[in-house]
């Protein structure tokens, strides 16, 4: 076999191995993928009840309510178009509050009713730690002398 043909065969073998690895990775992720739905997407697409999904949006103002046990909360997630009622039992992140972004991992128990297993709070791109917000610490103006 000529050297040119050997390189072509090696290139084809490498290409087949690469495609095979990509297919195996996609197959493995298929069972593990957790989809991200906005409330309007979830209601429009009729997500199967009991299917593990991620629900993302903003905690609607005036909707956050704590149960008497102190760890169970009810709130509504909205994307400005649709709203989904959610329930979570556990400790919430510090950034979780009304009007803030949230991603809740869990499942729908009924259309429009979501039970979260995990709450992830989101902050906007303009986030500043409280220590740096508004008190002048670590700002360039205070460092100039």
């Amino acid at each position: 076999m000529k050297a040119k043909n050997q390189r072509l065969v090696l290139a084809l073998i490498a290409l087949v191995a690469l495609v095979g690895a990509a297919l195996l990775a996609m197959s493995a992720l298929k069972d593990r993928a957790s989809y991200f739905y906005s409330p309007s997407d979830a209601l429009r697409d009729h997500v199967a009840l009991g299917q593990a999904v991620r629900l993302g949006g903003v905690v609607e103002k005036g909707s956050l309510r704590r149960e008497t046990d102190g760890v169970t909360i009810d709130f509504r997630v909205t994307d400005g178009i649709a709203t989904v009622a959610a329930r979570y039992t556990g400790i919430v992140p510090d950034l979780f509050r009304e009007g803030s972004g949230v991603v809740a991992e869990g499942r729908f128990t009924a259309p429009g009713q979501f039970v979260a297993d995990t709450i992830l709070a989101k902050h906007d791109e303009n986030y500043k730690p409280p220590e740096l917000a508004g008190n002048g610490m670590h700002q360039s103006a205070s460092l100039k002398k």
Side-chain angles (χ1 to χ4, degrees), residues 17 74 133 136:
D74 292 311

Side-chain angles (χ1 to χ4, degrees), residues 1 12 29 33-34 39 42 45 48-50 57 60-61 64 70 79 90 95-96 104 110 113 116 120 123 126 138 140:
M1 185 179 287
L12 287 175
L29 289 175
S34 182
D45 295 345
L49 301 180
E60 189 175 65
K61 291 188 178 182
L64 185 60
D79 61 357
L95 293 175
F96 180 82
Q113 298 289 319
L120 305 170
H123 61 79
N126 299 321
H138 304 290
S140 61

Side-chain angles (χ1 to χ4, degrees), residues 10-133:
L10 287 174
L12 287 175
I13 290 172
L15 182 65
V16 168
L18 189 64
V19 169
L23 289 174
L24 284 174
M26 290 173 55
S27 174
L29 289 175
K30 182 179 177 184
D31 294 336
R32 294 263 181 192
S34 182
Y35 298 104
F36 182 96
Y37 290 98
S38 67
S40 57
D41 290 341
L43 296 176
R44 182 192 64 228
D45 295 345
H46 303 290
V47 176
L49 301 180
Q51 177 185 355
V53 294
R54 288 182 174 175
L55 179 68
V58 174
V59 179
E60 189 175 65
K61 291 188 178 182
S63 70
L64 185 60
R65 193 170 38 105
R66 289 196 180 274
E67 297 290 325
T68 56
D69 63 1
V71 293
T72 302
I73 58 172
D74 292 311
F75 58 99
R76 288 190 301 268
V77 178
T78 183
D79 61 357
I81 300 170
T83 301
V84 170
R87 172 173 269 242
Y88 174 70
T89 301
I91 298 172
V92 294
D94 290 339
L95 293 175
F96 180 82
R97 59 182 60 106
E98 292 178 350
S100 68
V102 66
V103 174
E105 296 177 347
R107 53 197 42 81
F108 283 91
T109 56
Q113 298 289 319
F114 189 79
V115 174
D117 300 323
T118 305
I119 296 287
L120 305 170
K122 293 173 33 179
H123 61 79
D124 64 5
E125 62 275 359
N126 299 321
Y127 174 77
K128 288 183 180 177
E131 299 86 25
L132 298 179

